[in-house]
């Protein structure tokens, strides 16, 4: 009744397959969600961001490709949330000032960081900023993958356009303290408002 469900089991026991089956079921019965989006974030949700970090200079900003921004055109019956990675969550973060305020507050409170998002000709540019006397601005290649992961997951959790959010292995890349924080944020934001 809380709106929060956890599946626990050993590797290769079928948890991911069950989540994908739930996604298919909810997509067939969207009327029960009052138009809410059904979202699945796979365990490889950081792969495209990690590839970017490996292949680009440490001070370059992340460029979220415009191919993620045109899903409504490419898939008229689907949304940009069709993608199982966190790249679209950075776009959501830029498009939704209400979510951005929450994320920025948590970055400042817990990590002494801020995030800088801007559209440019190459897509969405994402940089981080150290909140100290210097205010150093730097690219995603110099930021910890756990923090990059946490920003995307929190964005997905705070997105009230989502009716059902399924996250495969939400603890990936996160320190145990931040796993606990993420669990509390998921519980706090699950269920019917």
């Amino acid at each position: 009744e809380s709106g929060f469900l956890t599946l626990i089991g050993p590797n290769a026991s079928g948890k991911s397959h069950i989540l994908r089956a739930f996604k298919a079921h909810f997509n067939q019965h969207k009327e029960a969600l009052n138009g809410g989006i059904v979202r699945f974030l796979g365990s490889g949700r950081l792969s495209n961001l990690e590839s970017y970090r490996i292949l680009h200079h440490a001070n370059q900003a992340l460029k979220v490709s415009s191919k993620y921004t045109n899903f409504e055109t490419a898939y008229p019956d689907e949304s940009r949330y069709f993608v199982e990675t966190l790249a679209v969550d950075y776009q959501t973060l830029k498009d939704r000032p209400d979510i951005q305020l929450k994320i920025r507050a948590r970055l400042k409170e817990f990590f002494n960081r801020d995030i800088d998002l801007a559209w440019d000709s190459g897509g969405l540019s994402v940089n981080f900023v150290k909140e100290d006397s210097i205010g150093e601005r730097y690219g995603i290649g110099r930021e910890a993958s756990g923090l990059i992961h946490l920003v995307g997951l929190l964005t997905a959790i705070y997105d009230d356009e989502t009716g059902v959010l399924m996250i495969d292995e939400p603890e990936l890349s996160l320190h145990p303290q931040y796993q606990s924080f993420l669990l509390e944020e998921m519980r706090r934001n699950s269920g019917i408002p």
Side-chain angles (χ1 to χ4, degrees):
E1 294 179 7
S2 70
F4 185 80
L5 174 67
T6 304
L7 298 176
I8 300 172
N11 289 346
S13 63
K15 298 179 303 292
S16 300
H17 292 294
I18 290 170
L19 290 176
R20 284 197 169 92
F22 278 149
K23 179 182 177 186
H25 172 77
F26 285 124
N27 273 323
Q28 290 175 354
H29 300 90
K30 279 189 173 183
E31 67 280 352
L33 301 174
N34 296 322
I37 293 163
V38 178
R39 186 97 194 274
F40 175 74
L41 291 172
S43 60
R45 60 189 162 267
L46 268 186
S47 59
N48 57 343
L49 302 179
E50 287 295 335
S51 296
Y52 187 92
R53 293 177 71 211
I54 292 166
L55 297 172
H56 291 79
H57 186 271
N59 282 323
Q60 279 187 300
L62 168 68
K63 301 288 187 177
V64 177
S65 169
S66 59
K67 74 179 179 179
Y68 296 115
T69 66
N70 295 321
F71 261 88
E72 288 82 0
T73 305
Y75 299 92
D77 296 331
E78 298 287 342
S79 71
R80 67 183 181 202
Y81 299 103
F82 175 79
V83 179
E84 293 182 2
T85 69
L86 292 176
V88 295
D89 293 291
Y90 279 87
Q91 179 191 347
T92 299
L93 188 58
K94 176 59 179 162
D95 293 345
R96 295 277 307 272
D98 57 324
I99 297 174
Q100 194 176 133
L101 283 172
K102 286 181 181 180
I103 299 292
R104 293 179 76 190
R106 277 143 184 88
L107 284 174
K108 289 177 184 182
E109 179 181 358
F110 294 115
F111 302 101
N112 199 28
R113 302 276 195 285
D114 198 357
I115 193 164
D116 179 42
L117 304 151
W119 290 109
D120 66 19
S121 60
L124 178 62
S125 172
V126 180
N127 283 292
F128 284 85
V129 180
K130 280 191 179 174
E131 290 284 297
D132 55 16
S133 59
I134 303 171
E136 179 189 2
R137 187 171 182 243
Y138 56 94
I140 202 166
R142 286 189 41 213
E143 191 52 81
S145 65
L147 189 58
I148 295 164
H149 200 151
L150 188 61
V151 167
L153 288 174
L154 289 175
T155 300
I157 291 165
Y158 298 153
D159 188 352
D160 57 5
E161 292 178 11
T162 303
V164 175
L165 175 63
M166 292 167 278
I167 307 172
D168 193 9
E169 300 183 24
E171 74 282 0
L172 289 178
S173 295
L174 298 180
H175 184 279
Q177 283 181 315
Y178 298 116
Q179 291 175 13
S180 177
F181 169 72
L182 182 67
L183 176 63
E184 288 307 311
E185 290 301 292
M186 289 190 303
R187 285 184 174 149
R188 188 177 297 121
N189 289 280
S190 64
I192 300 170

